[in-house]
Amino acid sequence: MGKEARAWGQLSDGESDGKLLWEPPKLIFRGAVRGIYQGHALRDIRAEGDDIVLSDGTRFSLDPGQAEKWVHAILNPPTRLDKLGVKPGMKVAVDGVDDEAFLDELADRVEAEIGPGEDFEDLDLLFLAADDLGQLDRLEDLQGALAEKGAIWVVSQKGKTAPLKDVDVMAAARGVGLVDTKVCAFSKTHTALRFVRRKG
């Protein structure tokens, strides 16, 4: 959901050619001079012709027609559901994910089925909570609930004290014919790994 482009940067400590990156929530410039901007620094960002201009006068010159697109992307960062690929009209189910804010966000966008997945079928997305290897044993059965291009997001704790590591989740999923395609920060305490059926 980020952006990347070559740009001419005019920063407080000098000017140079470089690479401009939008990695929400940070705008990063890497050249002979460097800068990282977020939060308050981006509040009054605007486009002037082919330039992105920050409130402190920092300026990045982009290819013609790009500045407006960059400013729009920066002022409208992707939500958690955008990052997770949840789109209106999708068939979505949640199994064990106990995050009230997430469930509220989901309810505003789709009608999600909640509960253990015995009756799920033809799903575009399934969110499965897993904090031990036993919960991952269900992946084999649950993948049968997916539509042809459906995916399972495994949501688990993150950090050094997490009972499951990403490598454990990936090994269990690969063992039942799933492949990982994306990782997403789910919350301050949890991460999410996306899996789809292996082609062929």
Side-chain angles (χ1 to χ4, degrees), residues 85-96:
V86 180
K87 297 174 182 170
M90 278 187 161
K91 192 168 182 184
V92 178
V94 180
D95 188 334

Side-chain angles (χ1 to χ4, degrees), residues 68-89:
E68 288 280 359
K69 294 176 183 175
W70 274 68
V71 169
H72 182 269
I74 291 165
L75 292 177
N76 299 279
T79 66
R80 169 165 52 174
L81 293 190
D82 293 333
K83 294 175 185 176
L84 293 167
V86 180
K87 297 174 182 170

Side-chain angles (χ1 to χ4, degrees), residues 3-20:
K3 294 175 81 65
E4 180 178 321
R6 297 300 301 178
W8 180 261
Q10 299 173 54
L11 287 68
S12 58
D13 53 353
E15 301 182 12
S16 79
D17 182 39
K19 185 183 289 185
L20 187 65

Side-chain angles (χ1 to χ4, degrees), residues 36-178:
I36 298 177
Y37 309 89
Q38 62 182 324
H40 183 75
L42 300 177
R43 192 177 64 188
D44 297 318
I45 192 169
R46 66 189 186 278
E48 288 184 2
D50 295 326
D51 292 356
I52 294 173
V53 185
L54 308 188
S55 55
D56 67 356
T58 298
R59 183 177 290 263
F60 302 104
S61 299
L62 296 167
D63 288 340
Q66 293 302 304
E68 288 280 359
K69 294 176 183 175
W70 274 68
V71 169
H72 182 269
I74 291 165
L75 292 177
N76 299 279
T79 66
R80 169 165 52 174
L81 293 190
D82 293 333
K83 294 175 185 176
L84 293 167
V86 180
K87 297 174 182 170
M90 278 187 161
K91 192 168 182 184
V92 178
V94 180
D95 188 334
V97 179
D98 186 21
D99 181 316
E100 197 170 317
F102 169 68
L103 296 175
D104 287 345
E105 291 165 27
L106 205 54
D108 286 341
R109 188 168 294 190
V110 296
E111 287 186 26
E113 298 179 60
I114 311 291
E118 285 77 15
D119 299 323
F120 295 154
E121 58 182 23
D122 205 31
L123 298 175
D124 296 303
L125 291 174
L126 168 62
F127 293 90
L128 172 68
D131 286 316
D132 62 53
L133 288 171
Q135 290 168 308
L136 293 175
D137 289 343
R138 300 181 59 226
L139 282 172
E140 187 164 17
D141 291 333
L142 288 173
Q143 68 174 305
L146 297 179
E148 185 181 349
K149 295 183 179 179
I152 296 177
W153 282 99
V154 176
V155 180
S156 58
Q157 291 179 46
K158 63 183 177 183
K160 292 180 180 177
T161 59
L164 275 181
K165 305 299 179 200
D166 285 356
V167 291
D168 300 324
V169 178
M170 288 188 274
R174 288 173 185 159
V176 297
L178 297 170

